Amino acid sequence: MSEPRTILPGATIGVLGGGQLGRMMALAGSAMGYRFVALDPAEDAPAGQVGDQIVADYDDRTAARELARRSDVITYEFENVDADVAAMLMSESYVPQGSELLYTTQHRLREKRAIEAAGVRVAPYAEIRSADELREAVRRFGLPCVLKTATGGYDGKGQWVIRDEAEIARAYETLGTAGTELVLEQFIKFDKELSVIAARSPQGEIKAFPVAENIHVDNILHLSIVPARVPTDTLKEAERLAIRIAEGLGAVGLIAVELFWSASDGLYVNELAPRPHNSGHYTMEACRTSQFEQHVRAVCNLPLGDTALLTPVVMVNVLGEHVAPLIDHLADRDRAAQAEQFNVAPKLHLYGKSEIINKRKMGHVNVLASDTEAALAWISETNIWRV
């Protein structure tokens, strides 16, 4: 990995990926005085609307070299970028995050082994190379259990919850077509899903954001509730585990740590993401420093910002089917938000995606409130998110 450099405002930050995370990173970094250029295959990508864009595939080495030529530092906004391209860029430009963590988190088996090496617990798992191995592992873990592809997959894609032995052959055959290794995970009976966003700079400074409690619908994140409704010692332990992982894996920039919490059995790490994360969007108004500003600070080797929570908040995702009713709602005076029983301040963020598609993430709303129950009540009252 390159020697740490401090990249001062006025410099250009290159971003592999031009989606909503790159867009919000550019908006935060532009306010600090940085310029941005994103590489993304989609014309008029969300990040390209607020900065410069190179339109090309992620494995296009010529385009990647152009990104390097125009950038003083390069980061990435999602982990499924081409690791070979990231490695090439390391030799030709400055990529403080390196390619090793990207290589690790692109593959569930490598990721789990790295988490264990950092001394943190994951759900029991097994590598699956045949239908017979799957049957044996299912017998060992019991039902239900979760079969996942080792690479790819997000928002519930690339996985199968096996609830009956009759599903084993079909689950193996279906996911086996992905052409990657498979991993079976023991199903954890959890009470809450949590996440912690930690930031680490090249010089080793680390800070963690407050723990979010996450609720998913149809395997897509629906709500992030902060403060999370779990015991105080659980909040402290979750932050401690995130910091241990950031240190153990030598992360630079942000790393999102997703966890399962059981009141009887404690915390298990589920997955990692070495980038800004959907469950950290609440930080944009609710914390002294947003996750996007913090990521810019970290990769540029600036002192990290204060992560203190300023107000309780609930982040609610806006999917394609929510856009029209939400816009209609915002066009009128929001009497519910101003009502004494709610007294909330909803903050809308739309991502500028070219096509509105059901179940596709189009934006989010941060609902600031005196307490999270008031924010949840406002979300219900609007009747936009009919779950």
Side-chain angles (χ1 to χ4, degrees), residues 333-374:
R333 182 164 170 251
D334 193 341
R335 299 181 186 280
Q338 297 169 355
E340 185 175 344
Q341 69 265 38
F342 299 122
N343 191 24
V344 303
K347 303 292 184 178
L348 172 65
H349 300 267
L350 290 179
Y351 303 149
K353 293 184 177 179
S354 58
E355 189 176 3
I356 297 175
I357 300 172
N358 284 2
K359 303 302 178 187
R360 186 186 192 193
K361 293 174 185 174
M362 306 301 298
H364 69 272
V365 178
N366 286 334
V367 186
L368 313 180
S370 57
D371 60 71
T372 56
E373 293 307 313

Side-chain angles (χ1 to χ4, degrees), residues 98-112:
S99 61
E100 186 174 339
L101 184 57
L102 187 66
Y103 174 79
T104 298
T105 55
Q106 283 180 338
H107 193 282
R108 284 192 171 95
L109 285 167
R110 291 195 293 262
E111 179 178 274
K112 290 177 184 299

Side-chain angles (χ1 to χ4, degrees), residues 1-6 94 96 202 301:
M1 186 175 292
S2 304
E3 286 297 313
R5 306 177 198 172
T6 298
Y94 181 47
N301 206 26

Side-chain angles (χ1 to χ4, degrees), residues 256-304:
V257 180
E258 299 180 58
L259 307 108
F260 295 133
W261 175 70
S262 162
S264 60
D265 202 26
L267 291 164
Y268 291 86
V269 171
N270 179 31
E271 290 185 347
L272 306 178
R275 52 166 172 78
H277 194 261
N278 194 174
S279 68
H281 292 351
Y282 77 88
T283 63
M284 295 174 75
E285 284 91 10
C287 291
R288 287 187 172 176
T289 306
S290 76
Q291 67 164 340
F292 299 102
E293 178 186 338
Q294 195 79 303
H295 183 75
V296 170
R297 286 179 169 275
V299 298
C300 291
N301 206 26
L302 300 180
L304 298 182

Side-chain angles (χ1 to χ4, degrees), residues 229-256:
R229 298 170 297 181
V230 295
T232 301
D233 59 348
T234 300
L235 298 176
K236 292 179 179 178
E237 176 69 3
E239 289 186 18
R240 188 181 68 81
L241 293 180
I243 289 171
R244 181 188 291 181
I245 287 171
E247 286 179 329
L249 274 63
V252 172
L254 297 187
I255 186 163

Side-chain angles (χ1 to χ4, degrees), residues 77-95:
E77 64 125 30
F78 74 120
E79 60 267 44
N80 289 325
V81 299
D82 190 289
D84 291 336
V85 167
M88 180 201 77
L89 288 172
M90 279 188 64
S91 66
E92 300 187 12
S93 60
Y94 181 47
V95 188

